């Protein structure tokens, strides 16, 4: 068996696959002729197999013919829509997917951004990126708590699309702090959000690989990490991005530069916010080789700078999100355990949906609690891994 990883951008929707699809280790996921009808079908396959492979010992001729057909289309003068009919549509869900009746299709956004960061193409990158960013920003403005809750839960629950999920979380955390705490206008907030969403485009595939890797970093991987800020800027320039604030923020987002924000350039201020949010998001996400921190511990890590002093950018994040932001699991004075669904009047008094009673048994339906009341005061954070009950994301967002 000789497995070759399949480029997700070449998979046709609504058409029979001309070869069998296999997962990690060669497990059969779909026979030849299987039809993937939507991004949701693709997500289900990826959930079962982590990555999609073709066994070239088994399907070499049909796989090579498939690649040759795509290559000939790309080299021809055929219209782009004909090529699009051959390959999977990788555009992020359009802004119209924001519906008054419910939240966006978060899993499709996750998959769309994954493909955009892993396989950027100069012809349509800028428009596709802006469509996704605009949709994310509009939903953040519409329901900040719901956006934070969705991305916190997605970050805590799976690693296959770490790079995209982490980028979206970092972007919304930065934009929330910039708007609500620093009171920045949109001509600062929007470049900040775009920078956070694209900061790791130079190592997107590696980020996803490392989330599931148990072995130590190889020298090549370490070098790619060290140079990814400059690589990301170079890629974005090739994609037609020229906004100096956007690019400056990415270039400096791993610089260790504690100190007052007012003493920094605007690009450096953005970079510092991104760095603090980056630390927070990275620490709440699981890895194959380590457990995630509790949300409150991760907030604390972003609050203190390299000298163990209060970091102004980190403090802005904590003030905006609260000590227990949406998505954090907590234990109440009543002995109940629940997840924060909405920020409260103070940083320590959010609204909570209780899912475990004082005996540790599932409540069946979530029970709302106002932690500003003494009977339901938060007494401690709870690590996500310790909670044995799960609600579908859609049900949590409906609260």
């Amino acid at each position: 068996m000789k497995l070759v990883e399949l480029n997700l951008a070449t998979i046709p929707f609504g058409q029979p696959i001309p070869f069998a699809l296999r997962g990690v280790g060669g497990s059969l996921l779909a026979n030849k002729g299987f039809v993937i009808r939507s991004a949701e079908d693709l997500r289900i396959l990826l959930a079962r197999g982590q990555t999609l492979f073709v066994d070239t010992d088994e399907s070499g001729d049909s796989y090579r013919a498939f690649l040759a057909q795509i290559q000939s289309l790309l080299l021809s003068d055929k219209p782009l829509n004909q090529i699009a009919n051959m390959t999977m549509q990788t555009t992020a869900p359009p802004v119209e997917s924001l519906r008054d009746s419910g939240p966006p299709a978060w899993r499709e956004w996750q998959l769309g951004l994954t493909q955009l960061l892993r396989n950027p193409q100069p012809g349509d990158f800028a428009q596709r990126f802006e469509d996704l960013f605009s949709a994310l920003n509009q939903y953040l403005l519409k329901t900040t708590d719901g956006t934070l809750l969705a991305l916190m839960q997605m970050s805590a629950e799976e690693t296959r699309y770490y790079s995209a999920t982490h980028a979206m979380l970092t972007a919304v955390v930065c934009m929330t702090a910039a708007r609500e705490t620093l009171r920045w206008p949109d001509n600062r907030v929007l470049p900040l959000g775009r920078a956070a969403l694209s900061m790791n485009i130079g190592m997107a595939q590696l980020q996803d690989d490392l989330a599931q890797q148990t072995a130590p970093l190889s020298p090549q991987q370490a070098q790619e990490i060290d140079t990814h800020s400059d690589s990301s800027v170079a890629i974005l320039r090739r994609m037609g991005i020229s906004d100096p604030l956007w690019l400056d923020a990415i270039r400096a987002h791993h610089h260790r530069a504690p100190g007052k924000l007012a003493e920094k350039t605007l690009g450096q201020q953005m970079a510092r916010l991104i760095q603090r949010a980056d630390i927070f998001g990275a620490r709440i996400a699981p890895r194959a080789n380590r457990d995630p921190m509790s949300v409150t511990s991760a907030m604390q890590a972003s609050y203190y700078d390299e000298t163990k002093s209060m970091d102004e950018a980190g403090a802005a994040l904590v003030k905006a999100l609260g000590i227990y932001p949406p998505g954090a699991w907590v234990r109440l004075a009543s002995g109940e355990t629940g997840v924060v669904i909405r920020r409260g009047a103070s940083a320590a008094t959010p609204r909570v949906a209780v899912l475990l009673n004082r005996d540790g048994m599932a409540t069946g339906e979530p029970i709302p609690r106002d932690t500003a009341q003494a009977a339901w005061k938060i007494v401690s954070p709870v690590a996500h891994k310790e909670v044995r009950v799960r609600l579908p994301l859609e049900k949590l967002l409906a609260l």
Side-chain angles (χ1 to χ4, degrees):
M1 183 177 287
K2 184 177 180 182
L3 298 178
V4 175
E5 185 172 354
L6 187 61
N7 182 348
L8 299 183
T10 65
I11 300 175
F13 281 167
Q15 299 179 34
I17 301 293
F19 38 75
L21 297 177
R22 295 186 176 274
V24 171
S27 59
L28 180 64
L29 300 178
N31 287 310
K32 177 180 177 180
F34 181 78
V35 177
I36 300 176
R37 301 190 181 280
S38 66
E40 178 63 17
D41 285 353
L42 181 59
R43 187 184 70 79
I44 291 170
L45 277 179
L46 288 169
R48 290 169 51 202
Q50 298 184 20
T51 308
L52 298 186
F53 294 93
V54 177
D55 178 4
T56 55
D57 287 342
E58 170 189 59
S59 308
D61 290 343
S62 56
Y63 178 59
R64 284 188 288 272
F66 179 72
L67 293 182
Q69 186 177 0
I70 293 173
Q71 183 68 15
S72 65
L73 282 170
L74 291 173
L75 294 175
S76 72
D77 294 326
K78 294 184 185 296
L80 288 177
N81 63 350
Q82 183 172 343
I83 299 174
N85 288 334
M86 177 65 193
T87 60
M88 186 179 78
Q89 297 301 300
T90 59
T91 53
V95 176
E96 295 83 59
S97 69
L98 297 178
R99 303 179 302 276
D100 290 337
S101 59
W106 284 109
R107 303 299 180 183
E108 291 190 12
W109 286 21
Q110 185 187 53
L111 182 58
L113 184 58
T114 295
Q115 293 162 345
L116 189 58
L117 296 179
R118 288 186 186 180
N119 301 294
Q121 300 297 324
D124 62 356
F125 175 86
Q127 186 59 58
R128 289 169 55 197
F129 182 90
E130 190 59 29
D131 285 347
L132 194 148
F133 172 73
S134 295
L136 180 64
N137 179 53
Q138 285 191 27
Y139 194 72
L140 178 64
L141 290 169
K142 177 182 175 182
T143 172
T144 303
D145 290 328
T147 305
L148 289 167
L149 174 59
L151 291 170
M152 293 278 199
Q153 288 298 300
M154 289 165 63
S155 294
E157 288 178 353
E158 60 90 29
T159 60
R160 293 182 303 278
Y161 310 119
Y162 169 77
S163 185
T165 312
H166 179 70
M168 287 192 288
L169 177 60
T170 303
V172 302
V173 167
C174 285
M175 289 193 289
T176 300
R179 282 190 175 110
E180 297 186 8
T181 304
L182 300 178
R183 303 295 180 182
W184 283 4
D186 264 6
N187 62 1
R188 294 187 182 187
V189 173
L190 298 183
L192 168 66
R194 293 183 182 106
L197 196 62
S198 57
M199 61 181 173
N200 293 324
I201 194 172
M203 56 173 282
Q205 180 67 64
L206 176 60
Q207 269 200 316
D208 289 342
D209 293 343
L210 291 178
Q212 301 179 70
Q213 178 175 309
T214 56
L217 287 176
S218 70
Q220 181 179 351
Q221 288 174 328
Q223 182 179 14
E224 191 173 342
I225 292 170
D226 289 343
T227 60
H228 83 273
S229 297
D230 289 337
S231 298
S232 294
V233 170
I235 290 171
L236 289 169
R237 286 191 183 281
R238 291 200 299 272
M239 297 301 114
I241 306 304
S242 58
D243 183 336
L245 283 178
W246 180 345
L247 299 177
D248 286 351
I250 290 178
R251 186 180 292 108
H253 82 278
H254 274 293
H255 291 179
R256 294 183 176 275
K260 294 183 179 299
L261 289 178
E263 297 172 354
K264 304 178 188 297
T265 67
L266 186 52
Q268 290 169 343
Q269 291 179 42
M270 292 179 178
R272 190 63 179 179
L273 278 167
I274 292 172
Q275 186 197 64
R276 297 288 98 187
D278 189 11
I279 290 172
F280 167 70
R283 296 194 179 193
I284 67 168
R287 297 286 195 283
N289 60 355
R290 68 157 173 79
D291 291 328
M293 280 187 176
S294 70
V295 171
T296 48
S297 296
M299 290 292 286
Q300 198 172 36
S302 68
Y303 182 82
Y304 293 104
D305 67 15
E306 293 84 352
T307 68
K308 306 300 182 186
S309 301
M310 183 273 289
D311 186 272
E312 191 175 346
L317 301 185
V318 174
K319 184 175 180 181
L321 271 63
I323 302 171
Y324 307 105
W329 288 87
V330 293
R331 186 163 289 113
L332 309 183
S334 60
E336 299 166 319
T337 299
V339 63
V340 175
I341 56 173
R342 184 179 299 170
R343 292 170 295 170
S346 75
T349 59
R351 296 291 180 128
V352 167
V354 166
L355 297 175
L356 293 173
N357 64 24
R358 66 186 66 196
D359 298 317
M361 303 296 291
T363 57
E365 291 296 324
I367 303 171
R369 297 293 192 218
D370 181 359
T371 63
Q373 298 186 34
W376 298 314
K377 177 182 178 181
I378 294 174
V379 294
S380 67
V382 176
H384 189 277
K385 65 173 183 173
E386 295 176 13
V387 182
R388 302 303 181 191
V389 64
R390 292 286 182 270
L391 268 188
L393 179 59
E394 292 74 16
K395 284 193 174 182
L396 281 178
L397 292 173
L399 299 175

